[in-house]
Amino acid sequence: MDFSLSVEQQMVRDSARDYLAAHSDSAAVRRVTEAGPAHDDALWRAISGELGWCGIALPEAVGGVGLGATGLVLLQEQLGQRLACVPFWSSACLVAPWLQASLGERGSAQWLERLAVGECRGAAVLPDDGGWHYDGVAIAAQASADGFVLRGGAVQVPDAFGADWLLVPARLDDGAPALFLLEPVALADDERFRLAPLDTLDRTRPLASLRLDGLHVCASACLARGDAAALGLAHAWWHGKLMLAAEQLGAAQQCLDLSVAYAAERIQFGRAIASFQAVKHRCAQMMVLVEAARSAVYGAAQAWESTDMADARLEIAAAAVAADDALRFCAQEAIQLHGGVGFTWEYDPQLYFKRAQAASHWLGGAGAALAYIAANGPHSWRTA
């Protein structure tokens, strides 16, 4: 498979890298998170509105750029490298594809147009079991005279605070899946709707718990039901899995870059520790894992656009495992190669180590990906 990037794609990658280096450096990330999990509102307004990143993968008909999954992967990689405190993954990588798949091109246009220009942002409630199906959905929707009554909740919802839209999967009375769109701002004073912030290890991505205690919503809040709703959840989950892997890839690359830079300036026994064979070997191993993950992620992005969904899911699962392994290894190696100060607050490796630990559990982590490969791969193990 040809992984070469077009001139346009290289420009997207390079401009994103330069912009985030200037506006989401370590000092900026620390300013945002020092009081707790939070978003960088100024950065979000810039990348979503002025730069138009939220529309990079969306079709031109809704105000997007039309660069597809590969363009979005390139942005996610750079955002992950800087641990940018913005809800890009939730809004552009989960909500947008969920609406596209559930409502179709024409039905989703009114929503995607607002997402593409940064006018609104969304958050997605995903099954608590980390799966891509409705088996783990813990929200029930009971039909009423003029709408639905929602009961249940979710343990963790990324980027829920400040979101204009909250996509909520639920089960109807007959067990059929359904997709609801809630507006948190309009429901803020309703006691039956509760979003509670969570104090998390990784403060660069805020999480919240959701509780719906008999919340009444109008019939129009149900955007899709049946096969359309199920298709949308699966589409969003796998797309989100791919983009999470791209984010982990970027974070792993930064761990390598930080380690190489520190090794070049740290003097021990009269010379830089970068000259020691053992340090070179450890940095080389980090690079091998990063490059392997990059090949897997870029290949999965192309597979998402050019092959059938079954093959694309296998590619994404493999990329998810490679990226998770790369980030966890590189984060711990970065701490070790920084010596006694590697784990301290003043140095950045601890930020990436926390992201590595947190991201390893999102969307089922590497375990869900490996289970999918084992069950669906070309040499899968099946029980009679």
Side-chain angles (χ1 to χ4, degrees):
M1 184 178 291
D2 182 11
F3 297 130
S4 60
L5 301 177
S6 67
V7 174
E8 190 174 26
Q9 289 169 336
Q10 292 178 43
M11 290 176 63
V12 167
R13 179 198 61 196
D14 295 345
S15 63
R17 180 191 61 216
D18 295 342
Y19 187 86
L20 290 171
H23 296 86
S24 185
D25 58 4
S26 174
V29 170
R30 290 169 182 272
R31 282 196 302 269
V32 173
T33 60
E34 64 183 5
H39 290 134
D40 188 335
D41 293 330
L43 179 62
W44 173 248
R45 287 193 298 270
I47 69 171
S48 62
E50 299 170 18
L51 300 178
W53 287 6
C54 289
I56 195 75
L58 296 177
E60 296 181 13
V62 297
V65 182
L67 291 184
T70 301
L72 201 56
V73 156
L74 296 175
L75 288 182
Q76 272 292 100
E77 182 181 353
Q78 299 306 317
L79 288 163
Q81 185 160 356
R82 293 296 174 178
L83 296 182
C85 302
V86 291
F88 188 84
W89 180 61
S90 295
S91 193
C93 304
L94 290 173
V95 170
W98 198 337
L99 291 170
Q100 278 182 294
S102 290
L103 306 181
E105 182 178 345
R106 300 182 66 177
S108 62
Q110 61 174 317
W111 310 102
L112 298 181
E113 288 172 357
R114 301 177 71 183
L115 289 174
V117 297
E119 179 182 341
C120 293
R121 73 172 179 85
V125 178
L126 295 166
D128 284 337
D129 66 351
W132 51 276
H133 40 64
Y134 269 77
D135 294 350
V137 171
I139 299 174
Q142 183 179 10
S144 64
D146 55 349
F148 298 89
V149 176
L150 303 181
R151 291 186 174 86
V155 176
Q156 296 180 349
V157 184
D159 303 316
F161 278 99
D164 300 287
W165 303 329
L166 192 62
L167 290 190
V168 179
R171 287 189 174 277
L172 300 175
D173 296 335
D174 60 0
L179 174 64
F180 290 83
L181 186 144
L182 307 181
E183 298 182 357
V185 174
L187 298 170
D189 297 328
D190 195 324
E191 295 181 352
R192 299 164 296 180
F193 175 85
R194 288 182 291 172
L195 273 177
L198 300 175
D199 189 11
T200 58
L201 178 70
D202 176 19
R203 294 189 169 192
T204 61
R205 173 159 289 146
L207 302 178
S209 63
L210 172 68
R211 191 68 198 171
L212 305 174
D213 294 319
L215 177 68
H216 180 269
V217 298
C218 61
S220 61
C222 182
L223 300 184
R225 61 180 70 190
D227 292 342
L231 175 64
L233 173 59
H235 190 84
W237 193 91
W238 284 104
H239 190 270
K241 192 79 169 172
L242 170 60
M243 298 306 158
L244 177 60
E247 188 178 272
Q248 290 173 299
L249 165 63
Q253 178 66 62
Q254 184 68 358
C255 289
L256 173 58
D257 293 347
L258 289 171
S259 299
V260 171
Y262 182 82
E265 66 183 22
R266 176 72 169 93
I267 304 300
Q268 191 172 9
F269 304 116
R271 56 180 177 154
I273 64 173
S275 64
F276 298 150
Q277 192 80 350
V279 173
K280 292 179 181 180
H281 285 172
R282 296 176 80 163
C283 289
Q285 183 60 32
M286 292 169 70
M287 187 188 72
V288 168
L289 290 176
V290 168
E291 291 303 320
R294 179 169 287 114
S295 295
V297 170
Y298 286 10
Q302 293 190 10
W304 179 267
E305 298 174 331
S306 60
T307 64
D308 63 47
M309 187 52 64
D311 290 341
R313 286 177 176 176
L314 285 172
E315 294 279 359
I316 292 171
V321 174
D324 186 75
D325 286 348
L327 178 54
R328 286 191 294 109
F329 180 83
C330 291
Q332 68 184 25
E333 284 297 288
I335 289 178
Q336 293 295 322
L337 289 171
H338 276 71
V341 299
F343 67 92
T344 61
W345 182 258
E346 290 78 9
Y347 286 78
D348 285 349
Q350 53 90 13
L351 296 174
Y352 290 87
F353 185 82
K354 292 172 182 176
R355 169 58 65 90
Q357 296 303 307
S360 67
H361 297 284
W362 295 334
L363 300 184
L370 288 170
Y372 185 84
I373 294 172
N376 300 278
H379 303 293
S380 58
W381 292 274
R382 304 181 186 275
T383 57

